[in-house]
């Protein structure tokens, strides 16, 4: 797998922050293995995109979770494209927060789902983006206990090609009391299956103690039904009634909620203060603890402001604003509580349907109303749409009768101290090739270095030096500073000079005539003048 974008710093322990700051995929993976983190540790991931699986084996405690989060003011994007697997929680009392999980594979498979909570205890997923998963975005199966999904944006899940359209959910899970699973203050929208949430149990995996509170559900125009469902109930007749489930203060736009499903129904069910705009509630064999305060409308005008309960000293103030605009006004105004914004605080308003785009409103909060436009058409598109929907246009923005916004305030004043940066610089040697002995010049610069050696000799941290070279030689520069050491090497190749060979001997053929007889005399020599003594005997 190839990492798409690089980030800045090397891993280092940060004792004062109780955690670890990292910058590369290999460093993240080195921390999430067994023994890589301990209760109370925080793994701060620098902003950037990492093509990898996040499978964390570390164990925290109920009082001190192991925390994995983006560095303040930055966004770490975890992309499991091409991995063939989902992210997996393999330890207890972990908290993943302020991260984006996505999948950019245009041919994503069902196996490349979002996050699987496995058999974890006390897992919390806080203020994240869960987008473009192959199948279900978040799976808190029955083995997981006391799970929380809070303040997150869950969109474009279920992109694998499922002709049934029944698979690939925003949230899919079961639960067995006394464990509780809570899904609160999330935006769950625009999935490619027909279920926002499919909380469906059986005789083996019960569906008790699920709590859906303050969530916003809305669909898109890719399906002719345009009315996805959120479902609670056992799918197996004879499994018994699901017990002590809660569906309260949720906001549904063109969406339906089914309670009881086709099993035996629900008991001690709480269904209160939900707002249905052009949606419906379909109960089957439900016994209630409470069923009050629910609103059903086809033309309402209402603004819901939900401050975020999990803002801390490292993050921006934040909250969701859900607007039902039956009057089709071009803009809608609302006020926010002091828990969301303070006077004089800078803020941005993000259209959740265009979560990767620029804010629709930005300003300094003066204590009055904030006005948002309801005419936006810009939208963050999915990585791809399933093949079964290739004939459709890409999703479009909802009409102005509905809007969903994320308000982000001023960044918290605290930040974990950054570890010292590793030295870096440039290093060149010229020329890199010589014909016979000669001289070369080394030139180097540095940042974050307090000392430098060149072939073990001490030199300034930046400079030049001349060297005589008689044979091929490696030059190694080592820069050292508070953040560690970095080395650079260059090789100078020396080609020996070979003298030319002597000229070959020259052969001469001379004709010598003696007493009328001509002789051909061959003589090897290097001179053009030769003297040939010839003895002539009488009679010859």
């Amino acid at each position: 797998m190839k990492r798409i974008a690089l980030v800045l710093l090397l891993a280092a322990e940060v004792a004062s922050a109780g955690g670890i700051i990292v910058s590369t995929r290999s460093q993240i993976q080195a921390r999430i293995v067994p023994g890589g983190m301990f209760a109370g540790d925080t793994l701060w991931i620098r902003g950037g995109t990492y093509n990898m699986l996040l499978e964390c084996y570390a164990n925290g405690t109920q009082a001190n979770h192991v925390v994995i989060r983006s560095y303040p003011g930055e966004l770490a994007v975890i992309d499991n494209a091409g991995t063939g697997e989902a992210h997996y929680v393999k330890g207890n009392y972990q908290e993943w927060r302020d991260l984006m999980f996505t999948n950019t594979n245009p041919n994503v498979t069902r196996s490349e789902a979002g996050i699987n909570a496995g058999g974890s205890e006390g897992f919390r997923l806080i203020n994240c983006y869960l987008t473009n998963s192959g199948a279900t975005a978040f799976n808190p199966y029955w083995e997981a206990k006391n799970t929380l999904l809070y303040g997150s944006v869950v969109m474009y899940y279920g992109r694998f090609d499922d002709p049934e359209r029944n698979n690939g959910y925003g949230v899919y899970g079961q639960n067995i009391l006394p464990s509780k699973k809570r899904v609160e203050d999330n935006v769950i929208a625009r999935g490619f299956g027909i279920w926002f949430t499919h909380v469906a149990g059986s005789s083996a995996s019960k569906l008790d103690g699920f709590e859906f509170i303050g969530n916003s559900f809305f669909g898109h125009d890719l399906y002719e039904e345009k009315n996805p469902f959120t479902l609670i109930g056992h799918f197996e007749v004879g499994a018994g009634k699901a017990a002590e489930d809660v569906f309260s203060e949720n906001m549904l736009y063109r969406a339906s909620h089914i309670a009881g499903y086709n099993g035996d129904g629900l008991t001690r069910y709480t269904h209160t203060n939900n707002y249905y705009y052009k949606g419906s509630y379909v109960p089957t064999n439900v016994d209630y603890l409470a069923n009050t305060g629910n609103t059903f409308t086809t033309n309402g005008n209402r603004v819901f402001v939900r401050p975020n309960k999990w803002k801390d000293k490292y993050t921006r103030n934040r909250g969701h604003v859900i607007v039902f605009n039956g009057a089709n006004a071009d803009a809608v105004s609302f006020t926010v509580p002091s828990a969301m914004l303070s006077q004089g605080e800078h803020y941005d308003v993000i259209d959740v349907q265009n979560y990767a785009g620029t804010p629709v409103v930005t300003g300094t909060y003066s204590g009055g109303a904030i006005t948002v436009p309801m005419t936006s058409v810009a939208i963050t598109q999915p990585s791809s749409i399933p093949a079964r929907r290739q004939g459709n246009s890409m999703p479009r923005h909802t009409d102005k009768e509905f809007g969903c916004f994320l308000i982000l305030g001023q960044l918290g004043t605290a930040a974990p101290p950054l570890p010292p940066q590793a030295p870096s610089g440039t290093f060149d040697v010229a020329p890199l090739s010589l014909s016979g002995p000669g001289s070369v010049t080394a030139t180097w610069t540095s940042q974050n270095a307090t000392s430098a050696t060149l072939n073990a000799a001490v030199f300034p941290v930046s400079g030049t030096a001349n060297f005589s070279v008689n044979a091929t030689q490696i030059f190694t520069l080592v820069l050292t500073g508070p953040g560690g050491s970095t080395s650079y090497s260059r090789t100078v190749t020396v080609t020996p000079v070979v003298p030319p060979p002597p000229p070959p001997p020259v052969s001469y053929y001379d004709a010598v005539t003696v007493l009328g007889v001509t002789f051909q005399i061959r003589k090897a020599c290097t001179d053009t003048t030769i003297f040939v003594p010839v003895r002539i005997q009488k009679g010859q």
Side-chain angles (χ1 to χ4, degrees), residues 255-276:
S256 297
H257 169 43
I258 298 176
Y261 197 29
N262 60 356
D264 297 325
L266 306 176
T267 187
R268 302 192 299 280
Y269 188 53
T270 298
H271 177 250
T272 57
N273 302 318
N274 299 289
Y275 192 85
Y276 294 85

Side-chain angles (χ1 to χ4, degrees), residues 49-211:
T49 303
Y50 304 80
N51 185 203
M52 60 174 287
L53 285 174
L54 191 59
E55 295 183 339
C56 186
Y57 293 78
N59 287 292
T61 65
Q62 188 170 8
N64 291 290
H65 279 57
V66 166
V67 180
I68 302 175
R69 64 189 301 177
S70 295
Y71 190 82
E74 302 176 1
L75 181 62
V77 181
I78 314 297
D79 182 358
N80 66 332
T83 65
E85 299 180 54
H87 307 289
Y88 213 109
V89 184
K90 296 190 175 181
N92 296 323
Y93 297 106
Q94 297 181 24
E95 178 179 306
W96 300 3
R97 62 172 301 163
D98 310 314
L99 301 162
M100 176 179 283
F101 295 89
T102 191
N103 186 297
T104 56
N105 182 1
N107 301 307
V108 66
T109 62
R110 183 174 184 174
S111 63
E112 290 182 3
I115 298 172
N116 187 337
S120 63
E121 168 86 18
F123 176 63
R124 301 192 297 230
L125 188 63
I126 309 295
N127 296 344
C128 290
Y129 293 91
L130 284 71
T131 67
N132 293 297
S133 60
T136 298
F138 183 54
N139 290 282
Y141 292 135
W142 67 270
E143 301 98 325
K145 299 178 179 64
N146 300 309
T147 304
L148 172 65
L149 173 64
Y150 183 86
S152 296
V153 174
V154 185
M155 293 181 68
Y156 297 140
Y157 44 86
R159 283 195 303 119
F160 82 104
D161 193 28
D162 174 26
E164 297 178 357
R165 296 177 296 170
N166 286 328
N167 301 290
Y169 319 107
V171 178
Y172 178 87
Q174 302 85 28
N175 188 61
I176 298 176
L177 292 171
S179 166
K180 295 281 189 175
K181 289 189 171 75
R182 192 174 184 92
V183 180
E184 183 176 5
D185 279 335
N186 304 283
V187 176
I188 304 177
R190 292 183 174 272
F192 289 99
I194 62 174
W195 308 103
F196 292 125
T197 61
H198 190 136
V199 181
S202 66
S203 57
S205 53
K206 296 290 186 179
L207 182 57
D208 303 330
F210 251 100
E211 300 174 343

Side-chain angles (χ1 to χ4, degrees), residues 323-346:
V323 179
F324 295 93
N325 180 28
N328 284 312
D330 289 342
V332 172
S333 298
F334 55 87
T335 58
V336 299
S338 58
M340 184 180 292
L341 291 176
S342 301
Q343 289 198 35
E345 183 174 352
H346 174 83

Side-chain angles (χ1 to χ4, degrees), residues 116-405:
N116 187 337
S120 63
E121 168 86 18
F123 176 63
R124 301 192 297 230
L125 188 63
I126 309 295
N127 296 344
C128 290
Y129 293 91
L130 284 71
T131 67
N132 293 297
S133 60
T136 298
F138 183 54
N139 290 282
Y141 292 135
W142 67 270
E143 301 98 325
K145 299 178 179 64
N146 300 309
T147 304
L148 172 65
L149 173 64
Y150 183 86
S152 296
V153 174
V154 185
M155 293 181 68
Y156 297 140
Y157 44 86
R159 283 195 303 119
F160 82 104
D161 193 28
D162 174 26
E164 297 178 357
R165 296 177 296 170
N166 286 328
N167 301 290
Y169 319 107
V171 178
Y172 178 87
Q174 302 85 28
N175 188 61
I176 298 176
L177 292 171
S179 166
K180 295 281 189 175
K181 289 189 171 75
R182 192 174 184 92
V183 180
E184 183 176 5
D185 279 335
N186 304 283
V187 176
I188 304 177
R190 292 183 174 272
F192 289 99
I194 62 174
W195 308 103
F196 292 125
T197 61
H198 190 136
V199 181
S202 66
S203 57
S205 53
K206 296 290 186 179
L207 182 57
D208 303 330
F210 251 100
E211 300 174 343
F212 288 87
I213 300 174
N215 302 285
S216 175
F217 300 97
F218 63 93
H220 52 57
D221 62 327
L222 281 188
Y223 298 112
E224 61 272 10
E225 57 268 19
K226 298 183 182 178
N227 198 17
F229 305 98
T230 178
L231 167 72
I232 297 178
H234 290 157
F235 60 81
E236 178 185 323
V237 176
K241 288 179 177 287
E244 299 183 22
D245 296 299
V246 177
F247 194 83
S248 293
E249 301 179 23
N250 298 289
M251 297 140 284
L252 295 85
Y253 174 67
R254 294 180 178 267
S256 297
H257 169 43
I258 298 176
Y261 197 29
N262 60 356
D264 297 325
L266 306 176
T267 187
R268 302 192 299 280
Y269 188 53
T270 298
H271 177 250
T272 57
N273 302 318
N274 299 289
Y275 192 85
Y276 294 85
Y277 188 101
K278 296 184 179 179
S280 61
Y281 171 54
V282 184
T284 301
N285 195 18
V286 176
D287 302 325
Y288 295 98
L289 280 179
N291 183 27
T292 60
N294 301 293
T295 300
F296 299 86
T297 182
T298 59
N299 194 32
N301 295 280
R302 185 82 178 269
V303 177
F304 295 88
V305 180
R306 306 282 303 187
N308 193 280
K309 301 175 183 177
W310 282 84
K311 192 269 178 190
D312 66 11
K313 63 183 179 180
Y314 298 111
T315 57
R316 302 177 73 175
N317 286 326
R318 62 186 292 151
H320 290 146
V321 176
I322 298 90
V323 179
F324 295 93
N325 180 28
N328 284 312
D330 289 342
V332 172
S333 298
F334 55 87
T335 58
V336 299
S338 58
M340 184 180 292
L341 291 176
S342 301
Q343 289 198 35
E345 183 174 352
H346 174 83
Y347 68 90
D348 296 315
V349 181
I350 307 296
D351 183 346
V352 170
Q353 297 180 66
N354 192 29
Y355 59 86
T358 58
V360 293
V361 178
T362 186
T364 300
Y365 186 57
S366 61
I370 294 175
T371 301
V372 295
M374 299 299 294
T375 55
S376 299
V377 295
I379 185 173
T380 298
Q381 293 289 352
S383 298
S384 66
I385 61 175
R388 66 183 182 277
R389 292 295 176 184
Q390 290 297 321
N392 296 72
S393 61
M394 295 296 276
R396 65 178 180 84
H397 201 284
T398 57
D399 296 330
K400 60 184 178 180
E401 69 178 3
F402 175 79
C404 183
F405 303 93

